[in-house]
Amino acid sequence: MRAELAVRIAAADNRYGPFASTHEAMGVALEEWNELCLAIHMNNLDAVREEALDLAAVCIRLAESMENQTTRARSVK
């Protein structure tokens, strides 16, 4: 599972780069959260696993992006 998570994180980093701001990350996380909720409501256990990994990848990317000074600068009022 950790290898799958690492692949998702790397793919998102390669495709999108770092988050522009914490607000962008929040939007992505909320989208993944909503998809996870839908999968749970539909009782689609395979989708629950996939969406949980997607959400975890976003949260880890957000935590790691706090080392990026551009992301930090755009996130401060």
Side-chain angles (χ1 to χ4, degrees):
M1 177 172 41
R2 289 183 180 159
E4 289 177 83
L5 189 54
V7 167
R8 289 168 196 260
I9 292 168
D13 284 340
N14 289 334
R15 184 169 182 179
Y16 303 112
F19 289 116
S21 68
T22 53
H23 285 82
E24 178 191 18
M26 180 178 62
V28 176
L30 286 172
E31 180 179 336
E32 295 302 340
W33 172 257
N34 289 333
E35 291 172 2
L36 175 58
C37 290
L38 179 61
I40 290 170
H41 285 291
M42 294 175 61
N43 203 31
N44 183 338
L45 301 182
D46 293 330
V48 168
R49 182 180 190 280
E50 294 300 311
E51 298 303 338
L53 287 171
D54 287 347
L55 178 58
V58 172
C59 292
I60 290 169
R61 287 184 68 230
L62 172 59
E64 290 175 346
S65 74
M66 292 299 92
E67 296 174 11
N68 181 304
Q69 293 305 312
T70 302
T71 303
R72 290 183 71 91
R74 289 183 151 179
S75 300
V76 177
K77 289 186 176 184

